[in-house]
Amino acid sequence: MKLSQFKFDLPLNLIAQHPSKSRDESRLMVVNRATGKIEHKVFRDIIGYFNDKDVMVVNNTKVFPARLYGRKEKTGAKIEVFLLRELNKQNRLWDVIVDPARKIRVGNKLYFGDDESLVAEVIDNTTSRGRTIRFLFEGNDDEFKAVLDTLGETPLPKYIKRKPEDEDKERYQTVYAKYEGAVAAPTAGLHFSRELIKRLEIKGVKFAEVTLHTGLGTFRPIEVEDLSKHKMDAEYFHIEEYAVKIVNKAKDENRKICAIGTTTVRAVESSVTAQNHLKAAEGWTNTFIHPPYDFSIPNALVTNFHLPKTSLLIMVCAFAGYDLIMEAYQQAIKEKYRFFRYGDAMLIL
């Protein structure tokens, strides 16, 4: 398929700027692949679609305050530094994106904080906007992390046209977030409240946790018309044996296995045995899922409403079928569903 097939007109006022009042009160569109039926619900109604011994697979990655604002030495020019991933803990080397990039060259020093308490040196150019920087910090790892937490900002995407607020520190994080390393929240999981999870568990639904640290690669614009030519940035993932046992038991018993979010799908589909079962693994994945694709692990999916021509929308079309998803998206626009990170949800059965 071609990239241009995933274009649609999205009114900008449908891009959610704030989360719903309560996590599980966002809207839920339920799409049935077998019948083509589309229902309109509230997210907490999801409990009615799952039974004892069904499984939900969640991504327990945790977002860190990845956006820093600093100044360039000598000129004092304001610079935004977006931390992507730590390359070397001992040497405090980080892969980052800088803006405006044209002003930042190898050898430049960047100063952060009103008292310029944190300094970094640019040591390499990686892409047009990408740089490798070394933080010049004398303290220990805990002290360094505390400084980043103080100076860093919740990395809301640019489509949210406001500054981060205190509320975002909690709401741009799932209630089951554990392992820090993501620069974007696994947003399908944002709809789950602790109370809803407890109700699902009481009903007998099992939860299996995997980790995929969402990087900017998930959201990088696709610039090729031929989807087979697109290269995803690699993202770290980890699947433990306990999750494998939960998922494979459900698979053998023909239960529902619902992936909560596209990042979860990428993790589990990156670690499949020859018998189409899940296996424990740790490493990096650059799997790009696009139609046609045969899914090995999930047979249900919870996902948000995505922007046009994105890898996330393309994966959802691979899962549920292009025509059905495009019809569902037109209904979502007509019914004024909220799109993107803080938007509403879709359950695909």
Side-chain angles (χ1 to χ4, degrees):
M1 297 191 75
K2 304 297 184 186
L3 179 65
S4 53
Q5 293 176 259
F6 297 90
K7 181 182 178 185
F8 62 91
D9 293 325
L10 176 63
L12 293 180
N13 67 324
L14 294 185
I15 296 177
Q17 299 297 306
H18 291 271
S20 57
K21 188 174 179 182
S22 300
R23 287 180 183 270
D24 56 17
E25 287 181 357
S26 53
R27 296 169 73 189
L28 177 69
M29 177 185 285
V30 182
V31 178
N32 189 305
R33 291 180 291 173
T35 65
K37 183 182 178 183
I38 295 175
E39 300 176 278
H40 305 286
K41 302 284 187 176
V42 176
F43 193 80
R44 60 177 171 267
D45 296 333
I46 196 170
I47 194 168
Y49 294 90
F50 291 87
N51 298 308
D52 184 30
K53 297 190 174 73
D54 287 341
V55 169
M56 289 186 172
V57 190
V58 300
N59 181 5
N60 62 17
T61 188
K62 191 173 186 178
V63 179
F64 68 96
R67 186 173 278 124
L68 297 171
Y69 293 97
R71 288 174 296 283
K72 185 182 172 187
E73 64 177 334
K74 297 177 183 173
T75 68
K78 289 185 177 180
I79 303 295
E80 177 185 311
V81 176
F82 196 100
L83 304 176
L84 290 178
R85 66 185 183 204
E86 190 175 42
L87 299 174
N88 184 300
K89 186 184 285 286
Q90 185 177 355
N91 294 318
R92 308 212 193 285
L93 293 179
W94 283 76
D95 188 13
V96 305
I97 287 176
V98 294
D99 188 26
R102 55 188 163 73
K103 296 183 178 180
I104 305 302
R105 297 184 174 90
V106 173
N108 287 158
K109 282 195 171 67
L110 308 175
Y111 295 86
F112 304 93
D114 293 337
D115 57 355
E116 299 186 344
S117 57
L118 185 62
V119 184
E121 181 182 9
V122 181
I123 62 170
D124 194 16
N125 290 339
T126 52
T127 64
S128 59
R129 293 172 59 217
R131 302 289 186 272
T132 300
I133 65 173
R134 177 192 291 119
F135 285 104
L136 310 175
F137 186 81
E138 295 298 324
N140 62 34
D141 288 344
D142 288 341
E143 291 168 336
F144 178 60
K145 183 179 182 305
V147 170
L148 289 186
D149 285 347
T150 300
L151 296 178
E153 190 178 87
T154 301
L156 295 181
K158 297 287 189 180
Y159 288 102
I160 293 180
K161 304 293 186 184
R162 62 174 176 83
K163 293 288 285 180
E165 301 164 6
D166 287 343
E167 175 192 45
D168 294 308
K169 290 181 182 176
E170 184 225 342
R171 292 300 302 273
Y172 199 60
Q173 202 83 268
T174 64
V175 297
Y176 46 74
K178 280 186 186 173
Y179 302 114
E180 196 168 84
V183 301
T187 47
L190 297 180
H191 305 284
F192 285 87
S193 63
R194 287 185 174 85
E195 294 76 15
L196 179 57
I197 290 172
K198 181 58 66 178
R199 288 174 60 212
L200 284 160
E201 287 176 336
I202 289 170
K203 193 171 183 181
V205 175
K206 308 289 186 188
F207 281 81
E209 297 182 15
V210 300
T211 305
L212 184 138
H213 290 325
T214 321
L216 284 189
T218 298
F219 311 102
R220 193 183 299 282
I222 298 175
E223 296 173 341
V224 290
E225 177 68 0
D226 181 352
L227 296 181
S228 66
K229 303 264 194 312
H230 177 61
K231 298 289 187 289
M232 290 281 284
D233 288 9
E235 294 168 319
Y236 169 85
F237 77 101
H238 186 199
I239 300 171
E240 295 187 22
E241 189 60 43
Y242 89 96
V244 169
K245 288 178 179 175
I246 293 170
V247 169
N248 287 342
K249 186 173 189 294
K251 191 172 174 68
D252 290 339
E253 294 175 357
N254 206 24
R255 310 285 182 186
K256 281 197 190 82
I257 301 171
C258 184
I260 308 302
T262 56
T263 58
T264 301
V265 175
R266 289 191 67 223
V268 298
E269 290 295 309
S270 296
S271 187
V272 177
T273 69
Q275 292 75 38
N276 283 337
H277 278 58
L278 188 62
K279 64 180 178 181
E282 180 179 13
W284 296 81
T285 178
N286 60 357
T287 299
F288 173 42
I289 296 175
H290 57 89
Y293 183 89
D294 290 327
F295 290 82
S296 298
I297 305 301
N299 53 27
L301 172 66
V302 173
T303 187
N304 274 30
F305 290 92
H306 305 295
L307 302 186
K309 297 167 73 172
T310 55
S311 65
L312 304 98
L313 170 63
I314 290 166
M315 179 196 290
V316 174
C317 287
F319 189 80
Y322 174 83
D323 292 337
L324 181 57
I325 289 301
M326 286 305 177
E327 179 192 343
Y329 267 56
Q330 289 309 310
Q331 281 203 32
I333 292 168
K334 181 182 175 185
E335 298 291 334
K336 293 187 166 46
Y337 275 74
R338 300 159 77 242
F339 277 65
F340 204 41
R341 316 298 291 163
Y342 273 151
D344 295 315
M346 173 187 285
L347 168 63
I348 303 170
L349 298 170

